[in-house]
Amino acid sequence: MRPSLIAVPSSRTRTVLSVLAVACTVSLIAPAGASAATPQTAPRPGAYGYFVDTYTTNTSAATTPETNAAIGVLSQFGNLWHPGSSWDNGVAVDAAAQRILDSNIARAARATHTRTDAQGHEAYLFDRRNQNYSAIAGFGDLSGTVKTATNAGTTIPDEIPADATTKQYVDQGNANGSWADTDSELGDVVQLVNTLRGNTSSANNAKKYYQYPRPYRQSQDVQVLPQLVPEKSPTPATDGGFPSGHTNAGYLASLAFAYAYPEKYTELLTNGSEIGNSRIIAGMHSPLDVMGGRVLSTALAAAILDDPANTQLAQQAHEQAEKVLAAATPAAVDQYADYAADKAAYRKRLTYGFTRSGATTVPATVPKGAEALLRTRLPYLSDDQIREVLRTTALPSGYPLLDDAEGWGRLDLFSAASGYGAFDGAVSVSMDAAAKGLNAAGTWRNNIGGTGSLVKRGTGTLALAGTNGYTGGTVIRGGTLAADSAGALGKGSVTTISGTLAEASTRTIRIGGDLTQRADSALSLSVSGPRVAVRVAGTASFGGTLRVHVAKGTTVANDIVLITADRIAKGANFRTLRVAGLPAGYKPVLQRQGNELHLINANATKHGHRA
């Protein structure tokens, strides 16, 4: 069972201290026709420089935000908390910061008071098992295949031992003493995970600097899971709470897996967020600890993937995962099959409901090298385009901890994995069906706004599934653009010059301007009931091929309204009609009736039957 989100708590009685940029199986090279970056995507360094250039400074010898990038990227925590000379005498920066920190501990306490047995069970397993092993669950219906192909193992059983309340259990991994094997069928993927979890990826140096106590040391109202009491460190001076190390590790493993097999990107991110959330449920960490672990791991993953020293390994891991997993048979149950639920959970855990107490109108910036995180997920976009995706899906400013100088805290990778949040200029996308994988077919699920436009090129298929409000119009110059929702095509005109515009929704597709189908284009419509397939707010002009597919089991009327428009251009006609799925004896003919395009059964008309 998946851990639930923690609720935003009310105030409770408590004591608070006053204190790859090369080609893989799919092309990773910037495609022709890629739109350019805007000035808004220009990176901005922190006090330590650019994280991707300085991430190897995360060593025990570098002890300040200016000398250690891992400490520096979390320096917004310094606006809330001033570390003391020891673990127990740090203080809030001011009264406003104290309120945020009090709320942080209250949230932690509430999570421990409301956790279910199932949540506690999951929290124990996440705590005791290697985070790399736990991250495999993010593959959902392919997780069994991944465990087998990596020879992953754990000595922590699914059922919690009866004596866990008094005995500490340590994961010994598989029969070889590792969480998985680098000489396995997915050995390069294992090595990529190990690389992202390498020597420069520790959260301990930041813990030592910030000296923010774990929540159960700040308030007796925070109840540590009884089975994890043996894990409470007897030396609080070396056991800080901020940032969460388990969260950092869980996300690093999840992001490595997601890079290798981006078809499961959002599912793996959701599971990574659950590893982090379980730390709050367990009573071991606070929400700010977990948020800090996510920010740190995001920056570390980008830096390591962007490092030329790791390019070949990242490429090999991606190719290997595509080869093995694309051919795998999914299991019957996929715990991450509900995209909407996954998104709600992930986005809730980005901020944990904290009030936006800082400046709320600061434009988002995109960190240098952050595009590396999505190169395999959005392989048909250039690095500049990926940066625009990251910018237009970023969180608003003002949340505690998240307004770091470079912009790592505001990145919403779940949303970014689902395409643009806005078209602020002309966006041109070229996809290649021959390259297979996500370069051949991809889906953008976000609600895309903006005044810009979209041009679809190439031979692949791009599906738009959001309720989109972009106003600059849509042009198809190759391949297929599929409208997977009623508002997929925005509020502008739609022109198909070549390639196919496909209606793929169970609801009527709305076109806010004109619809123009040129001679070399195709329009693909589906019939599954009496609904109109397309409504055009402007003028409809037809040409090329119309394909109509009647869904299996549909009762087909002898007169079906396919398209309605404010106006149908004089002389507008499709040159070719192809219909599949009609019952025997149905002779399809297109007929214009005023400003409607109908599919008529000519045989029924001949005999006087139109119903």
Side-chain angles (χ1 to χ4, degrees), residues 5-19:
L5 301 173
I6 68 166
V8 177
S10 58
S11 180
R12 300 183 62 90
T13 304
R14 60 193 178 277
T15 59
V16 181
L17 296 176
S18 60
V19 274

Side-chain angles (χ1 to χ4, degrees), residues 272-304:
S273 79
E274 292 186 346
I275 294 173
N277 192 62
S278 74
R279 306 305 291 151
I280 307 170
I281 291 170
M284 288 295 191
H285 283 286
S286 69
L288 286 175
D289 298 344
V290 170
M291 290 163 65
R294 175 185 63 81
V295 174
L296 178 59
S297 64
T298 301
L300 284 166
I304 295 167

Side-chain angles (χ1 to χ4, degrees), residues 75-335:
S75 59
Q76 284 291 304
F77 193 57
N79 293 337
L80 301 173
W81 176 257
H82 181 71
S85 58
S86 67
W87 74 272
D88 58 353
N89 63 4
V91 296
V93 168
D94 54 27
Q98 185 68 67
R99 287 191 292 272
I100 294 171
L101 293 173
D102 286 354
S103 175
N104 181 48
I105 300 304
R107 283 167 159 79
R110 176 62 180 271
T112 65
H113 281 267
T114 59
R115 67 179 170 234
T116 65
D117 290 343
Q119 289 174 322
H121 188 113
E122 288 288 346
Y124 175 84
L125 295 181
F126 280 141
D127 184 285
R128 292 292 76 214
R129 286 175 172 172
N130 188 302
Q131 290 78 50
N132 301 346
Y133 180 89
S134 293
I136 294 175
F139 283 98
D141 53 7
L142 293 177
S143 58
T145 299
V146 174
K147 288 179 181 178
T148 299
T150 59
N151 194 32
T154 179
T155 57
I156 305 298
D158 289 339
E159 294 302 319
I160 303 176
D163 60 353
T165 56
T166 58
K167 180 180 177 180
Q168 183 183 62
Y169 285 84
V170 178
D171 194 357
Q172 301 299 319
N174 62 17
N176 297 318
S178 301
W179 73 273
D181 294 337
T182 56
D183 60 353
S184 61
E185 189 178 15
L186 286 176
D188 289 332
V189 177
V190 173
Q191 186 57 51
L192 184 64
V193 175
N194 291 344
T195 300
L196 264 68
R197 292 282 315 276
N199 294 333
T200 58
S201 296
S202 174
N204 289 337
N205 301 313
K207 284 177 181 284
K208 184 176 180 180
Y209 175 82
Y210 288 106
Q211 295 192 87
Y212 182 66
R214 290 182 183 261
Y216 62 82
R217 294 192 175 108
Q218 297 195 46
S219 171
Q220 295 178 0
D221 205 24
V222 177
Q223 299 177 355
V224 173
L225 187 72
Q227 292 86 353
L228 291 179
V229 168
E231 312 309 321
K232 293 170 66 173
S233 172
T235 56
T238 60
D239 185 45
F242 181 87
S244 165
H246 273 69
T247 302
N248 176 55
Y251 269 106
L252 283 169
S254 299
L255 288 167
F257 281 136
Y259 189 94
Y261 195 65
E263 287 83 352
K264 292 289 189 179
Y265 201 104
T266 56
E267 295 91 331
L268 285 157
L269 277 182
T270 303
N271 185 62
S273 79
E274 292 186 346
I275 294 173
N277 192 62
S278 74
R279 306 305 291 151
I280 307 170
I281 291 170
M284 288 295 191
H285 283 286
S286 69
L288 286 175
D289 298 344
V290 170
M291 290 163 65
R294 175 185 63 81
V295 174
L296 178 59
S297 64
T298 301
L300 284 166
I304 295 167
L305 290 170
D306 194 59
D307 191 331
N310 301 318
T311 296
Q312 183 176 356
L313 172 61
Q315 175 182 343
Q316 291 172 181
H318 178 47
E319 291 176 341
Q320 190 178 71
E322 290 288 341
K323 179 180 178 180
V324 173
L325 298 181
T329 301
V333 177
D334 186 352
Q335 68 190 92

